Amino acid sequence: MPVGTVKYYLREGLLPAGTPTSATQAQYGEEHVERLALIRVLVGTGGLTVAAARAALQMIDAPAPSIHEVIGTAHQAIGPEVTAEPEALDRARSLVEAQGWQVACDSPALAQLAAALDACDAVGIPGMERLVGRYAAVAEQLAAFDVAAVPTTSPADAVRFVVAGTVLLEPLLLALRRLAQQDASFRRFEGPDVTPG
Amino acid sequence: MPVGTVKYYLREGLLPAGTPTSATQAQYGEEHVERLALIRVLVGTGGLTVAAARAALQMIDAPAPSIHEVIGTAHQAIGPEVTAEPEALDRARSLVEAQGWQVACDSPALAQLAAALDACDAVGIPGMERLVGRYAAVAEQLAAFDVAAVPTTSPADAVRFVVAGTVLLEPLLLALRRLAQQDASFRRFEGPDVTPG
DNA sequence: TGACATTGGATAGTGTCACCGTCCAATATT
DNA sequence: AATATTGGACGGTGACACTATCCAATGTCA
């Protein structure tokens, strides 16, 4: 990892300064190395901006007492900032309500859902209602795994898991979906029989 | 939509030029408006770069005969370019094999999966094996919906659906997962009883 | 002890990306 | 004929994640 990048992360407050031993020297420990790995992963694989990564790391440094709160704050810090029309938000809210989900009515994920629905409408994806229902059912399964996997050993562990998991399992999920799509399309369109010709 | 942006898309080859009626005039039709909406959605909500969007649109303009091929090419065009170590790639491949999935052995989604797995390792997410297996099962469900929903009315419709669906259903899925997480964490951590205190 | 390399800190520069502003000449419009 | 609009070319802008340069102070080694 380039030195300049480390300095940049120090400057941006992602990486805490070492304990200074003199005017031009500071001591860094194992914790700093782990922190750097976490930053690289959040910014690199997770695709977070450094601002979002800073917010995420601050949550890890100062864990909120309630894990439910942590998840909400993590979503706030991590998710892309999306603005949606009020009526689109209402649609998203009613969809969530139809699923029987309890979510904060000002959650940024609602705006993200609203924007995604609007986008699908704009290009006219056929059979969206059915698809959304099934996606919601699947999302519920995923969330059950995620939340069940949150360690209860200590608040710090829980926060770290929530932040890292929320960010890192997204690319994992998308990659798996793509691979599964390739398999499914192979089964459906290439089939067991060779393409005639 | 600002005029400058439209000009930019024209310059970048995302939007085909209108039929010129004179040296300083050109005719645009409904198709161009639809195209603009598609572009906005791909680069806005879908988060594609203009280069990726151009590749995606080129697929729509010149549909490959086989839909399976289209999906592969779409993943190539749309997905982030990720490089992974050979051993990480092998791990991803063996995971895919364990699922019984048939995928092209050079699919970019494999590199994405490998990178995601490496990232999870780097920060030490506990219980990854179980989680990955469950995520894979869920991804299989999703892919089944997706592929079953591909219209067979015409190759053009199919390609359009695949490209738009691949891109747009990702933010939808992520938003739904976040909302479902909030609900699940509410149920687990806030519970039916009010926090004592 | 003295030459040299390294470090921390500050500052400014780089490359990329999506987009926006400006200009000009040619054409519509009134 | 006067004015407005358009297409096209070109350069500028702001955000972002770095990256290079400089300097003074310190560490290291002969």
Side-chain angles (χ1 to χ4, degrees), chain A residues 14-85:
Chain A
L14 304 193
L15 188 64
T19 60
T21 63
S22 75
T24 66
Q25 222 71 13
Q27 188 75 16
Y28 296 95
E30 186 60 31
E31 54 190 12
H32 290 87
V33 178
E34 283 178 20
R35 180 71 162 226
L36 268 178
L38 182 56
I39 295 171
R40 288 302 286 180
V41 152
L42 290 181
V43 173
T45 313
L48 293 194
T49 64
V50 301
R54 177 171 43 228
L57 292 166
Q58 279 169 356
M59 299 187 48
I60 292 181
D61 293 338
S66 144
I67 294 183
H68 180 63
E69 208 172 314
V70 165
I71 290 184
T73 316
H75 289 170
Q76 197 119 21
I78 285 163
E81 279 186 30
V82 170
T83 55
E85 307 288 324

Side-chain angles (χ1 to χ4, degrees), chain A residues 37-38 41 45 66-69 71-72 75 78-80 95-96 100-104 107-110 112-113 115-120 122-126 128 131-132 134-136 138-152 160-161 164-190, chain B residues 37-38 41 45 66-69 71-72 75 78-80 95-96 100-104 107-110 112-113 115-120 122-126 128 131-132 134-136 138-152 160-161 164-190:
Chain A
L38 182 56
V41 152
T45 313
S66 144
I67 294 183
H68 180 63
E69 208 172 314
I71 290 184
H75 289 170
I78 285 163
L95 204 153
V96 165
W101 290 346
Q102 293 275 346
V103 308
S107 167
L110 276 170
Q112 290 156 24
L113 175 58
L117 290 172
D118 270 6
C120 291
V123 302
I125 292 195
M128 267 303 286
L131 216 52
V132 168
R134 292 177 171 179
Y135 267 58
V138 162
E140 208 167 302
Q141 294 179 50
L142 286 173
F145 303 155
D146 294 334
V147 170
V150 173
T152 51
R160 192 185 170 82
F161 178 88
T166 303
V167 175
L168 297 184
L169 296 181
E170 287 186 358
L172 182 76
L173 174 60
L174 297 186
L176 286 171
R177 183 174 91 112
R178 287 176 183 179
L179 291 166
Q181 276 182 0
Q182 288 181 26
D183 172 65
S185 94
F186 178 79
R187 290 183 199 282
R188 174 167 181 203
F189 296 113
E190 298 297 307
Chain B
L38 181 56
V41 151
T45 314
S66 145
I67 295 183
H68 180 63
E69 209 173 311
I71 290 185
H75 288 169
I78 284 164
L95 203 152
V96 165
W101 290 345
Q102 294 275 346
V103 308
S107 167
L110 276 169
Q112 291 157 22
L113 175 59
L117 289 172
D118 270 8
C120 291
V123 302
I125 292 194
M128 265 304 284
L131 216 51
V132 169
R134 293 179 171 178
Y135 267 59
V138 162
E140 209 167 301
Q141 296 179 49
L142 286 173
F145 303 156
D146 294 333
V147 170
V150 173
T152 51
R160 192 184 169 85
F161 178 88
T166 304
V167 175
L168 297 184
L169 296 180
E170 286 186 359
L172 181 76
L173 174 60
L174 297 185
L176 285 171
R177 184 174 90 113
R178 287 174 185 180
L179 291 167
Q181 276 183 0
Q182 288 180 26
D183 172 65
S185 94
F186 179 80
R187 290 183 198 282
R188 175 167 181 201
F189 296 113
E190 298 297 307

